[in-house]
Amino acid sequence: MRTPDSQYRDRIKFILEKGVLIKDTPQGKDVEGGLGALTCFGTLAPMAFDLSNGAPIITDRSIKGFWRKPIIEIIEFAHGTRSIQALINAGCNYWKDYVGKGVKHGLEADDLGPGSYGAAFHDFPMPDGSTLNQYQQQIDQIKARPDLRTLFISPWIPFYTARGSNRKVVVAPCHGWQQFRVIEGKLHLLMFQRSADFPIGVPSNMAQYAAILLMMARATGYQPGIFVHQFGDAHIYEDQIDHMRELVKREALPLPTLRLAKERSDFFSITADDFTLEDYYPHPSMPGIPFKA
């Protein structure tokens, strides 16, 4: 029997009650009059999911037809993908609106840029001109020195992501600062997210990094432990507020099981099809929630 989990709903409620309405958010520049967001900065408590009590695939509203897509996305990024068309072809069609948006930064129309997730995770630039595969580095280090406190992955390449003439990225990474820790035979993961769109983005990120924890645990020979999800700027856009007020009225439900096929142990050979979702009994979906990338 699993304990019902209300962490996601509770943090939605906190933002609704404590958030400050900030107008003209970056995503709102294309909206007449500007689109505001209820915003909390650094005051939102982290969520901590012990995977033995279920995986953080939200049950507050059904994402039954969607949960695999963010896992596809994070696996593509771990493999170094920075092609928008490759993401679309893999099943992440929500990237289609970004085709051509990097041209103003000197990028090809299909390129997310050398400051993107895939470039940072798989091809982080080294001083000698070579590149570093950060996930492979951490796998090697966990196997050799599981006692380390320096098991860290960063999605941020400052000279490509900062605003200005050197910017070489379509979307500056919003999530992906990852610290791994081995304690008592279990591998744990803390992921920091600088910008968190709670109605849409955060459920995707919860699924993604639960999958990453399962993949890293399998690749290093440890049991998966706790996934901690930490936030900088947490927000709900104005046109999402009514849906979130409805969502927080729903009762907490147990989380489902996210299972990785037993025969899969090589991190870079795992695909999203190797994951199955079991015991998923969520509340009804909310199809009218406006999407913000």
Side-chain angles (χ1 to χ4, degrees):
M1 296 297 292
R2 290 179 175 170
T3 303
D5 195 292
S6 65
Q7 292 184 83
Y8 174 73
R9 185 198 62 183
D10 292 346
R11 279 141 189 84
I12 290 283
K13 185 176 180 181
F14 184 91
I15 299 171
L16 290 173
E17 293 177 350
K18 305 294 185 180
V20 176
L21 183 61
I22 299 177
K23 287 285 190 178
D24 293 325
T25 56
Q27 287 86 350
K29 294 297 185 181
D30 298 328
V31 179
E32 184 178 354
L35 181 65
L38 286 175
T39 302
C40 296
F41 180 72
T43 57
L44 196 67
M47 298 188 292
F49 300 99
D50 185 336
L51 296 193
S52 67
N53 191 50
I57 310 295
I58 61 166
T59 53
D60 311 85
R61 62 181 179 87
S62 177
I63 56 170
K64 188 174 183 179
F66 180 78
W67 66 271
R68 199 184 300 272
K69 289 185 179 183
I71 295 177
I72 292 172
E73 180 187 67
I74 200 68
I75 289 175
E76 287 289 326
F77 289 152
H79 289 183
T81 298
R82 47 188 268 194
S83 161
I84 298 173
Q85 191 58 52
L87 288 169
I88 295 169
N89 292 345
C92 302
N93 60 325
Y94 43 85
W95 279 101
K96 63 182 184 298
D97 293 336
Y98 289 90
V99 175
K101 288 196 173 182
V103 172
K104 62 183 177 182
H105 301 304
L107 301 172
E108 296 295 326
D110 183 51
D111 188 10
L112 287 171
S116 61
Y117 296 97
F121 289 158
H122 192 273
D123 302 298
F124 198 96
M126 297 282 281
D128 63 0
S130 63
T131 59
L132 173 68
N133 181 333
Q134 292 194 73
Y135 279 110
Q136 186 61 61
Q137 181 192 55
Q138 296 315 309
I139 290 168
D140 294 341
Q141 290 198 85
I142 291 168
K143 288 181 176 180
R145 288 286 307 276
D147 59 309
L148 291 176
R149 297 186 180 93
T150 55
L151 302 168
F152 194 82
I153 290 174
S154 174
W156 199 258
I157 305 177
F159 47 86
Y160 288 141
T161 49
R163 298 284 176 177
S165 58
N166 293 326
R167 183 177 171 91
K168 295 294 180 184
V169 65
V170 173
V171 180
C174 297
H175 53 82
W177 288 261
Q178 301 159 70
Q179 183 177 6
F180 296 92
R181 188 74 167 98
V182 176
I183 299 175
E184 296 183 332
K186 291 186 176 183
L187 182 67
H188 306 284
L189 167 62
L190 183 150
M191 192 278 287
F192 173 76
Q193 184 164 1
R194 69 164 183 89
S195 181
D197 168 8
F198 252 77
I200 296 292
V202 169
S204 294
N205 307 130
M206 291 162 65
Q208 288 177 325
Y209 289 97
I212 285 291
L213 178 52
L214 290 174
M215 293 167 64
M216 289 291 285
R218 182 66 61 80
T220 56
Y222 290 94
Q223 290 296 312
I226 296 172
F227 163 45
V228 180
H229 197 157
Q230 202 168 50
F231 310 97
D233 190 300
H235 46 269
I236 298 171
Y237 290 97
E238 281 187 290
D239 54 357
Q240 300 169 334
I241 290 174
D242 288 344
H243 289 88
M244 293 301 99
R245 285 177 175 156
E246 186 63 32
L247 182 141
V248 298
K249 297 176 184 178
R250 297 178 170 185
E251 67 174 325
L253 298 173
L255 294 174
T257 300
L258 184 64
R259 198 177 301 280
L260 176 59
K262 290 182 178 180
E263 66 274 13
R264 309 299 277 175
S265 59
D266 177 66
F267 183 90
F268 293 100
S269 295
I270 295 170
T271 72
D273 289 336
D274 294 318
F275 288 92
T276 54
L277 189 63
E278 302 173 2
D279 307 316
Y280 187 49
Y281 305 110
H283 286 286
S285 62
M286 289 183 164
I289 300 175
F291 176 78
K292 305 291 183 299

